[in-house]
Amino acid sequence: MNRSDDGDRAKRLEEENEALGRENQLLKTILDKVHESVLAVNERDEFILYNREAEKLEGFNREDILGKKEDEVYPQPFYFSDEVTKMILKTGIPVTEQPYWFRSKDGRKTNMIFSAYPFFDQGKIAAVFVIFRNMNQMGDFIATTLNIHKQFFDQDQKLSLENGYHLEDIISVNQKIQEIIAEARKIAVHNSHVLIVGETGTGKELFAHGIHNAALHSGEPFIPINCAAIPDTLLESLLFGTVKGAFSGATDMPGLFEQAADGTVYLDEINSMSLPLQSKLLRVLQEKTVRRLGSEKQTALNCRIISSSNTDPLEAIENQTFRPDLYFRLATVTINIPPLRERKEDIGILAIHFIQHYNQEFGLLINQISDDLLQQFYQYDWPGNIRELKNFIENGMNFVQAEDKVLNISHLSESFRERLGQSDRLPEAPVHQGTLKSTLLETEKNLIKTSLVQHQGNITKTALSLGISRQYLHQKIRTYHLAGLKG
């Protein structure tokens, strides 16, 4: 090996070390910006990481404790070290979402929730890191979230008035769906609560919004909220509202029931709501009044509630996850939406509708779908329903060229063709007898080569199918000498 090679290797090592140093500094900066306290000890129970939030919480300077053992830093007896960090160093078993409180150096009591995890290096426990959430700050977090949610609501409400869904927007030639639309028009003019039951992706919110827009109070707000996506504490504050002083950081904020006024609150996935919160919602429905958290004042409940469930509510009642008394309050009228596999005659017109949508969005001119692809759609069971069909169409439209006029199976990416049972995957390559690095490089080269051949050298399509950028693909083509490869 000559001096030039030694010099090149030294330069590469220097560049790699500089890159690692920058990455390490970035991670430290990120840790100092998060709102949770994060600390870590090595296998000797010595501090190796201690972020800024931990400093603020405990009143230490990390320069004074890094390298020291927990027993040297905290006054004795210090049970957390024995019961958590040292125990995890011995067992490797994490501890998650546990309550904890302590007094800081200035005597302040702080309530916490912590999770602690082992860090393994080459199969051995090399460290334990702990993440603390300060419960005293949760009120501020909820208050901030409520204010931001109201801003989003104001924006969404403005868009909703301009682009709201109507029952006329529901696309179907299925007899059952036509009957449901007719029923929805009849019940829309009354103010009874409605429960919509259907699998995920069947269009429950479309029906809910359509009923609202066909009602006498269609000019009032339509407020959707996903009960499964929001923690109980925050969901309760969002629904009922808060008054100043209800908890740390709380402000006078009307809940969604108040904001809806004479309009509609849509409770999506009501079956995911916890039983304690179901009880509070039931009381609101029974008394037809709502009270903000921390307030004694009752406000009349004037809005209509449309809720939805992606599972059979009667099964949920049997499994004791849905209160029967709440069910009877919400299900004054029940609408059951059939899944797409039971209304396959709608697949064709829905596919064309989504094609027209993405023609406008992507600037394309597709005017039909191939018989082969449509046949595959008819044979598929559609576990994700209409939402999944839209996903398929969007995937195919991403690979359409400007001159294409027909959407066909070849436009779908490999993973989507696999779901339809139409994969054109190549035979498995024989086991490579080499190092892990050489095997990975050979596999990467073959994948890029195969994709280039399949897409006739088209860089954009190849990059999309591989999930990488055009620039990175160009770099790999030069590395593997694949330029000009078109099949």
Side-chain angles (χ1 to χ4, degrees), residues 387-414:
R387 187 177 298 148
E388 185 181 15
L389 175 59
K390 184 179 181 181
N391 186 237
F392 263 83
I393 298 300
E394 181 178 4
N395 175 266
M397 296 291 279
N398 269 280
F399 298 101
V400 163
Q401 295 296 292
E403 65 274 10
D404 292 339
K405 298 294 185 290
V406 180
L407 185 70
N408 55 57
I409 293 176
S410 65
H411 287 123
L412 297 176
S413 64
E414 176 72 15

Side-chain angles (χ1 to χ4, degrees), residues 216-283:
L216 297 176
H217 299 293
S218 59
E220 297 291 330
F222 174 82
I223 305 179
I225 185 165
N226 190 325
C227 300
I230 302 175
D232 261 13
T233 305
L234 181 55
L235 182 59
E236 182 178 359
S237 302
L238 284 171
L239 290 175
F240 304 137
T242 60
V243 295
K244 188 174 182 180
F247 49 79
S248 173
T251 59
D252 290 322
M253 178 73 66
L256 300 186
F257 290 131
E258 285 187 67
Q259 293 178 39
D262 293 324
T264 303
V265 171
Y266 172 52
L267 302 176
D268 189 17
E269 296 194 40
I270 184 72
N271 53 297
S272 299
M273 184 181 286
S274 70
L275 289 174
L277 193 51
Q278 288 183 34
S279 300
K280 295 178 181 179
L281 177 59
L282 176 63
R283 178 178 292 275

Side-chain angles (χ1 to χ4, degrees), residues 125-162:
I125 301 175
V128 171
F129 62 96
V130 188
I131 303 171
F132 290 96
R133 292 203 307 272
N134 186 344
M135 295 303 296
N136 297 353
Q137 295 177 347
M138 290 302 291
D140 295 332
F141 169 75
I142 292 174
T144 301
T145 305
L146 289 173
N147 279 298
I148 293 174
H149 186 276
K150 189 174 187 305
Q151 294 175 29
F152 280 134
F153 165 72
D154 292 340
Q155 295 172 3
D156 291 344
Q157 192 59 39
K158 182 179 179 182
L159 290 173
S160 176
L161 293 173
E162 301 171 356

